[in-house]
Amino acid sequence: KRNKYIIGNWKMNGDKSSIKVVNSINKSLQRKKHNSKIVICPPFTVLDFSQGPLKEAGFPLGLKIATMKKVAL
């Protein structure tokens, strides 16, 4: 069986107060039935203070790599 993922790509904006959106998403998803794994990819600008709330909400942390070089993953 394949897992379904919903991945939120958080654009390069926002500040510490923007993390409230994680709580809002979590509350909304708790009211709906779904079998998807939710991953949120915050930008570097909010990475330091978004890790805790993402973990508390049960969302895995995704990261984006923005470079002009070829990167082996």
Side-chain angles (χ1 to χ4, degrees):
K1 181 180 174 185
R2 297 179 104 183
N3 291 324
K4 294 180 183 179
Y5 287 87
I6 299 173
I7 301 175
N9 185 14
W10 188 339
K11 298 298 181 189
M12 286 294 285
N13 55 25
D15 57 18
K16 195 169 187 169
S17 66
S18 302
I19 201 64
K20 292 177 187 174
V21 75
V22 171
N23 295 328
S24 177
I25 291 168
N26 191 30
K27 286 179 185 176
S28 177
L29 289 172
Q30 286 178 354
R31 292 187 296 247
K32 300 177 192 278
K33 186 176 180 177
H34 65 88
N35 294 331
S36 301
K37 295 181 186 264
I38 310 297
V39 180
I40 297 181
C41 303
F44 182 76
T45 55
V46 297
L47 187 60
D48 60 338
F49 53 83
S50 63
Q51 292 178 46
L54 288 172
K55 186 175 182 177
E56 289 172 19
F59 298 140
L61 175 66
L63 298 176
K64 300 175 277 189
I65 299 173
T67 182
M68 297 300 288
K69 297 179 186 178
K70 290 185 178 183
V71 178
L73 299 175

